């Protein structure tokens, strides 16, 4: 099994971006997404990419880590581009039996680049905030919805638990894979059926351990008299500081500018 | 088995980079019985995962019977010769019956029917479990100690010449521990080399003929047990104990008893203390 940072995993350094209130970061990712969708020219996308590079520099996170998140999307991107290429409008370029649409090529490229920018931009949210910060922020942002019976606290708690167990289960999987490899298991067969079957010796022990852990966690929580959200106080409180508000307002203004610039009749 | 200048780093090139092993040089011979001790986080688990090719050193090299691992011999071949048993190995059980689980590695090797059955029976015998009684039961219906023996049998069925165990007795009661040690002693007298990671110095004293002390990723001591425990204050300094029997000897020596120490097992310490006391009474 591989070690190390998976896509979008928290990158622990000190930076102004890391220090920002996670709620602000979530909101800004939303605003940025809307702005990038509004952009319909390449100049606007270039500007958006420049903004991301700026964020990367300020956050001291290697941009390579954020770009890694695009890899699983490559097939999707290629497919989108090809569909656009052949289903656009006039004028058509005829290459033997192929009919390629010129506006189709343009919109395909726009959609593709836009998607890359969104994924890379959003990666900085998880690269610069710990999972706990993010779930606290989501709970806080969803809090107004409690009035319409959205279980904000429970949703956040489930997310926290799920996130908390990712490294534990990754370590557990790693251990079981190594233990089975030590007794002769192989996982690199080229036949997909054999390959899938070869994971049974890993999955059975893993599921057993997941259920055992879930049981133990539930018991431990009950033993500590955990009863959900009503009336709970928190150890870490999110506090919106002047700097956070300022960042929220100014970055929103910049993104609005980006959307406006992206709709100008430029290339 | 030889390790030359092995260094291993986790997550190289990231802010989480961490050097787990530094410049390890180690030779393990046929028939050795070695205990690997060291405080938590000293790199014991990382070290043993190199022994059967699960981890590849960041720098340095390993060779098995003179053949370079990863060059002349693949990790897959290595794993047939070197059995590695992780901590809490019972968590790797997955088959419907004990016999199927033990036979898993053998079937992966392409062995079939009667050969698998006879090796499974033999492996159960080696760990001291009765084939007729256990073979067709579900491994999940057994006690923790029995499950662990079954898991060990699953590795023994591969007939390794060198067995590496990570804390094989942790979490077991006295009877479970004794069963494991009986099994290891038997294997060792059949010529299987054994390296076990442990925290319990009393266990080390009974069986091991060589002790390797690891601290902060480096080998700090590598010697016979009775010589290792002469460094009692150093061992305590890095957070390790010394066996109770050895401690008794050192305390008596401080009181002026002349005690020869050529083994730190309880039995031989009892004998040498008795001899020393007898001598003093005679004078």
């Amino acid at each position: 099994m591989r070690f190390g940072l998976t896509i979008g995993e928290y990158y622990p350094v000190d930076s102004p971006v890391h220090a920002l209130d996670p709620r602000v970061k979530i909101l800004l990712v939303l605003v940025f997404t809307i702005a990038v969708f509004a952009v319909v020219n390449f100049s606007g996308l270039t500007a958006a990419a420049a903004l991301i590079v700026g964020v990367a520099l300020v956050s001291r996170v290697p941009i390579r880590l954020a770009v890694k998140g695009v890899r699983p999307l490559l097939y999707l991107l290629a497919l989108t581009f090809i569909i656009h290429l052949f289903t656009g409008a006039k004028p058509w370029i005829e290459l033997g039996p192929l009919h390629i649409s010129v506006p189709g090529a343009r919109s395909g490229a726009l959609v593709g680049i836009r998607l890359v920018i969104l994924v890379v931009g959003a990666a900085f949210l998880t690269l610069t905030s710990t999972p706990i910060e993010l779930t606290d922020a989501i709970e806080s942002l969803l809090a107004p919805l409690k009035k319409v019976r959205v279980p904000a606290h429970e949703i956040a708690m489930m997310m926290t638990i799920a996130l908390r167990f990712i490294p534990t289960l990754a370590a557990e999987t790693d251990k079981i894979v190594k233990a089975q490899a030590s007794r002769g298991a192989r996982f690199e067969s080229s036949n997909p059926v054999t390959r899938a079957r070869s994971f049974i010796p890993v999955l059975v022990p893993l599921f057993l351990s997941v259920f055992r852990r879930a049981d133990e966690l539930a018991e431990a929580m009950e033993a500590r008299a955990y009863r959900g959200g009503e009336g709970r106080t928190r150890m870490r409180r999110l506090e919106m500081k002047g700097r956070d508000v300022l960042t929220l307002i100014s970055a929103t203004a910049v993104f609005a500018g980006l959307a406006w610039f992206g709709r100008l009749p430029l290339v | 088995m030889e390790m030359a200048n092995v260094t291993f780093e986790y997550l190289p090139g990231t802010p989480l980079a961490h050097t787990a092993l530094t410049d390890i040089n180690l030779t393990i011979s046929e028939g050795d019985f070695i205990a690997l001790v060291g405080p938590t986080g000293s790199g014991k688990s990382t070290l043993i995962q190199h022994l059967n090719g699960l981890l590849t050193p960041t720098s340095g090299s390993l060779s098995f019977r003179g053949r370079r691992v990863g060059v002349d011999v693949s990790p897959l071949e290595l794993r047939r010769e070197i059995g590695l048993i992780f901590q809490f190995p019972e968590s790797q059980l997955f088959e419907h019956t004990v016999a199927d689980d033990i036979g898993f590695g053998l079937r992966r090797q392409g062995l079939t029917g009667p050969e698998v059955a006879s090796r499974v029976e033999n492996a159960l015998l080696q760990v001291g479990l009765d084939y007729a009684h256990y073979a067709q039961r579900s491994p999940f219906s057994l006690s923790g100690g029995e499950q662990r023996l079954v898991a060990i049998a699953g590795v023994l069925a591969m007939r390794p010449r060198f067995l590496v165990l990570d804390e094989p007795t942790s979490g077991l009661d006295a009877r479970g521990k004794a069963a494991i040690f009986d099994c290891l002693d038997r294997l060792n007298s059949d010529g299987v080399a054994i390296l076990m990671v442990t925290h319990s110095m009393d266990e080390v004293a009974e069986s091991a003929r060589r002790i390797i002390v690891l601290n902060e990723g480096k080998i700090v001591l590598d010697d016979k047990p009775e010589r290792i425990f002469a460094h009692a204050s150093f061992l305590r300094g890095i957070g390790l104990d010394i066996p109770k029997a050895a401690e008794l000897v050192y305390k008596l020596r401080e009181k002026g008893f002349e005690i020869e120490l050529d083994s730190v097992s309880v039995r031989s310490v009892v004998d040498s203390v008795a001899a020393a006391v007898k001598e003093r009474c005679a004078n």
Side-chain angles (χ1 to χ4, degrees):
Chain A
M1 282 265 138
R2 76 215 157 97
F3 299 106
L5 293 162
T6 43
I7 300 143
E9 204 172 304
Y10 183 62
Y11 188 84
V13 288
D14 269 330
S15 84
V17 181
H18 286 73
L20 207 58
D21 188 300
R23 287 171 295 186
V24 170
K25 283 189 264 190
I26 292 179
L27 290 174
L28 285 180
V29 166
L30 284 178
V31 176
F32 180 70
T33 307
I34 295 167
V36 170
F37 268 113
V39 169
V40 290
N41 60 31
F42 290 103
S43 316
L45 291 179
T46 314
L51 285 176
I52 290 179
V53 173
V55 171
L57 292 176
V58 176
S59 68
R60 295 173 45 212
V61 175
I63 198 157
R64 165 180 61 85
L65 289 179
V67 175
K68 264 203 320 205
V70 177
R71 209 179 297 158
L73 282 176
L74 283 179
Y75 285 110
L76 181 68
L77 288 173
L79 194 69
T80 320
F81 185 70
I82 289 168
I83 290 173
H84 275 271
L85 216 53
F86 295 115
T87 58
K90 284 190 280 186
W92 299 84
I93 299 173
E94 294 187 22
L95 280 175
L98 298 175
H99 295 252
I100 292 172
S101 152
V102 176
R106 184 189 144 85
S107 63
L110 269 179
V111 167
I113 296 171
R114 192 186 277 153
L115 215 56
V116 171
I117 286 177
L118 287 176
V119 170
V120 175
F124 278 96
L125 175 64
T126 49
L127 282 164
T128 63
S129 336
T130 62
I132 298 290
E133 281 173 349
L134 286 179
T135 45
D136 283 353
I138 287 169
E139 180 173 358
S140 164
L141 289 172
L142 289 180
L145 295 179
K146 278 182 188 163
K147 297 215 170 62
V148 288
R149 301 230 178 149
V150 174
H153 172 79
E154 283 72 14
I155 291 173
M157 178 54 97
M158 283 193 297
M159 284 178 58
T160 313
I161 292 173
L163 288 169
R164 166 64 188 79
F165 274 91
I166 289 173
T168 312
L169 293 179
E172 185 101 4
T173 311
D174 183 56
K175 193 197 132 181
I176 296 171
V177 165
K178 280 176 170 170
Q180 303 296 23
S182 295
R183 51 197 283 225
R186 295 185 207 183
F187 305 100
E188 61 270 17
S189 169
S190 54
N191 179 342
V193 179
T194 321
R195 208 176 135 79
R197 279 177 56 97
S198 73
F199 277 95
I200 293 173
V202 175
L203 290 178
V204 173
L206 189 64
F207 270 98
L208 281 171
S209 129
V210 167
F211 285 120
R212 204 193 61 240
R213 278 178 199 282
D215 249 5
E216 284 171 1
L217 180 69
E219 239 167 73
M221 285 169 79
E222 277 183 357
R224 287 164 178 74
Y226 174 82
R227 281 192 301 108
E230 213 54 44
R232 277 175 79 81
T233 55
R234 8 182 90 253
M235 194 167 96
R236 289 177 313 270
R237 304 178 68 135
L238 292 173
E239 273 178 77
M240 195 78 87
K241 298 194 195 75
R243 190 186 53 194
D244 297 317
V245 180
L246 205 67
T247 313
L248 182 59
I249 293 170
S250 52
T252 305
V254 170
F255 293 156
L258 173 69
W260 169 78
F261 177 68
R263 300 190 77 82
L264 291 178
L266 300 167
V267 180
Chain B
M1 182 89 217
E2 238 184 276
M3 296 177 95
N5 308 95
V6 168
T7 295
F8 184 79
E9 195 180 0
Y10 280 105
L11 303 171
T14 73
L16 304 171
H18 161 64
T19 305
L21 294 176
T22 315
D23 205 18
I24 299 286
N25 288 290
L26 184 62
T27 307
I28 297 159
S29 322
E30 307 262 328
D32 259 352
F33 196 130
I34 305 175
L36 178 64
V37 298
T40 312
S42 56
K44 301 181 298 268
S45 296
T46 311
L47 175 61
I48 61 170
Q49 287 179 38
H50 281 82
L51 293 175
N52 75 345
L54 286 174
L55 295 179
T56 321
T58 312
S59 68
S61 67
L62 271 91
S63 44
F64 181 68
R65 296 193 171 134
R67 297 185 298 165
R68 285 274 307 269
V69 174
V71 182
D72 311 317
V73 52
S74 75
L76 225 55
E77 287 175 73
L78 193 64
R79 282 172 208 152
R80 292 188 187 173
E81 305 275 348
I82 301 177
L84 176 59
I85 296 169
F86 279 90
Q87 206 170 359
F88 302 113
E90 56 274 23
S91 66
Q92 77 194 34
L93 300 173
F94 71 100
E95 282 283 14
H96 296 292
T97 68
V98 167
D100 280 351
D101 208 289
I102 296 174
F104 166 72
L106 300 173
R107 291 195 303 277
R108 279 286 95 81
Q109 277 185 21
L111 298 177
T112 47
E115 173 71 8
V116 172
S118 82
R119 284 221 201 175
V120 167
E121 187 168 354
N122 209 303
L124 270 172
L125 193 72
Q126 280 179 304
V127 296
L129 294 179
D130 179 32
Y131 181 83
H133 184 58
Y134 287 98
Q136 296 310 318
R137 289 172 63 182
S138 160
F140 303 107
S141 69
L142 306 178
S143 77
E146 289 167 335
Q147 283 188 3
R148 186 163 306 179
L149 289 171
V150 168
I152 292 176
V155 173
L156 291 181
M158 316 275 288
R159 304 214 169 130
R161 293 305 298 159
F162 176 21
L163 196 60
V164 182
L165 306 99
D166 192 353
E167 302 249 6
T169 58
S170 63
L172 293 186
D173 58 11
R175 187 185 300 170
K177 286 182 184 174
I180 302 263
F181 270 99
D182 284 349
C183 164
L184 293 185
D185 286 334
R186 266 200 310 275
L187 286 167
N188 188 238
S189 54
D190 289 343
V192 177
I194 290 177
L195 183 144
M196 62 178 275
V197 171
T198 180
H199 272 118
S200 161
M201 290 301 190
D202 289 307
E203 286 176 359
V204 167
E206 290 307 312
S207 302
R209 287 193 297 278
R210 175 177 166 197
I211 297 181
I212 296 170
V213 182
L214 208 59
N215 191 33
E216 293 176 355
K218 295 185 184 121
I219 292 182
V220 288
L221 290 170
D222 179 354
D223 213 333
K224 290 182 177 149
E226 60 272 19
R227 293 231 280 272
I228 291 281
F229 296 118
H231 303 273
S233 61
F234 170 77
L235 291 175
R236 289 207 186 89
I238 61 173
L240 297 174
D241 273 340
I242 66 169
K244 291 183 190 74
E247 197 164 3
L248 174 69
V249 171
Y250 296 124
K251 281 194 173 148
L252 287 172
R253 276 184 184 169
E254 280 169 28
K255 302 271 180 213
F257 284 88
E258 277 173 32
I259 303 174
E260 288 299 310
L261 191 65
D262 45 45
S263 159
V264 282
S265 72
V266 171
R267 181 165 298 277
S268 70
V269 166
V270 166
D271 288 347
S272 32
V273 169
V277 171
K278 221 179 256 172
E279 196 178 319
R280 176 165 287 208
C281 291
N283 294 342

